[in-house]
Amino acid sequence: FLYFPLIHDLANLNFNPSYSSLNETLKFIPIPYFALIFHAVVIKIFGYFGFIFLEFLCVAIFLYIFYLIFRKLNFSSMTAILLSSFAFTLPPIMALIDILNVPWLIDLDLHYHMLYDFYGDRIPRPAISNLYFFLFLYLLISFYKEKTQSSFFGILVGILLSAMWVSFYYHFVCASIALTIVFFLKYRGQLFDNLKKSSGLIFKIIISFFIAS
C-alpha cells in the first residue's frame, strides 16, 4: 500500500503533503490523480471499506470491457463471456505454474514478464491503469472496424491517453504507437485526403489530452 498516503491526501484535497514536521510549507507536488482518483473518492464516501467495493467493481469493468472486445471481434456472447473469464484468470494460472514448477513453461520465462501483471488488484497498476489501456484497445478496434465515430470518440481517446500518461506512461507509448498504426491502416488508400477529413477528430484527441493532463 505504498500509494495509500497519496490516496488519503487526494481524498482530503491536500496537494502539498510534506510528511515531515520539519518542513510543512511545500508547494504542490505531482500526484498521479488519474491512477488514484477512484480510490480517493470511495475512501471519502464509504471509508476504507470502499476499497473492497472498488475491487469488485474493477473486476466487473475488466470483464465487461473484454466482453465488448470479443463481441467486436465477432465472437458469440457465450464465447465472449468465456474468453473474458479466461483472460481474468491468466495471472492466477501463471502463479499456479510457478507453484507446480512446470519446467518447459518456466524456461520460456514469458509467464512472468508478459502475463503475471496482465491484471490484478494491486493499486494503482494494474487495477486501474490497465483498465484505461484495455478500454483504449476496445475503442481502437471500434475505430478500425466502423466507418463513422461519435462526436465524443476523439474526446474520450484523448482523455484515455492522458490517463495512461499520468498513471503508467509505458501504456501511453504503446497506445500512441497503436493509434498511429491503426490510422495508417484505416486510411492507407488515400492517406492524406482521409487524414485531412479526420482533422477534427485528431484535433479533439490532442486538445482533450492536453486539457486532461
Side-chain angles (χ1 to χ4, degrees), residues 1 10 26 54 59 85-86 88 104 117 120 146 153 168 176 195:
F1 251 52
L10 186 59
L26 298 179
L54 189 58
V59 171
S85 302
F86 175 73
F88 179 72
W104 64 276
D117 286 334
E146 296 176 6
F153 175 81
F168 191 52
S176 299
L195 286 178

Side-chain angles (χ1 to χ4, degrees), residues 85-205:
S85 302
F86 175 73
F88 179 72
T89 60
L90 282 176
I93 291 174
M94 296 306 105
L96 181 61
I97 290 174
D98 283 336
I99 295 174
L100 296 178
N101 198 26
V102 181
W104 64 276
L105 283 176
I106 292 178
D107 290 340
L108 288 176
D109 200 27
L110 296 177
H111 62 288
Y112 178 79
H113 297 290
M114 297 180 63
L115 297 176
Y116 189 75
D117 286 334
F118 181 70
Y119 195 69
D121 58 359
R122 189 174 70 244
I123 302 170
R125 184 180 68 88
I128 299 297
S129 61
N130 285 31
L131 291 181
Y132 294 139
F133 185 69
F134 298 145
L135 180 57
F136 175 84
L137 290 181
Y138 167 71
L139 293 177
L140 201 60
I141 294 171
S142 299
F143 171 73
Y144 182 75
K145 297 193 69 173
E146 296 176 6
K147 293 183 178 180
T148 59
Q149 304 295 329
S150 69
S151 57
F152 295 103
F153 175 81
I155 297 174
L156 184 55
V157 168
I159 292 174
L160 285 175
L161 287 173
S162 177
M164 287 183 281
W165 170 254
V166 172
S167 59
F168 191 52
Y169 60 87
Y170 290 108
H171 285 167
F172 167 78
V173 173
C174 294
S176 299
I177 294 173
L179 182 61
T180 303
I181 293 173
V182 169
F183 257 103
F184 276 91
L185 290 176
K186 185 177 177 69
Y187 299 131
R188 61 184 179 274
Q190 296 177 327
L191 181 61
F192 293 104
D193 290 338
N194 286 317
L195 286 178
K196 186 176 180 180
K197 294 178 182 178
S198 302
S199 58
L201 173 63
I202 298 173
F203 179 77
K204 287 180 181 179
I205 293 174

Side-chain angles (χ1 to χ4, degrees), residues 49-102:
F49 290 103
F51 278 66
I52 300 174
F53 165 77
L54 189 58
E55 284 192 12
F56 283 102
L57 181 60
C58 287
V59 171
I61 294 173
F62 171 91
L63 294 173
Y64 185 63
I65 290 174
F66 270 86
Y67 171 80
L68 293 177
I69 289 175
F70 289 124
R71 288 291 291 149
K72 188 65 68 174
L73 296 175
N74 299 322
F75 287 93
S76 66
S77 295
M78 183 56 66
T79 304
I81 292 173
L82 292 175
L83 290 175
S84 302
S85 302
F86 175 73
F88 179 72
T89 60
L90 282 176
I93 291 174
M94 296 306 105
L96 181 61
I97 290 174
D98 283 336
I99 295 174
L100 296 178
N101 198 26
V102 181

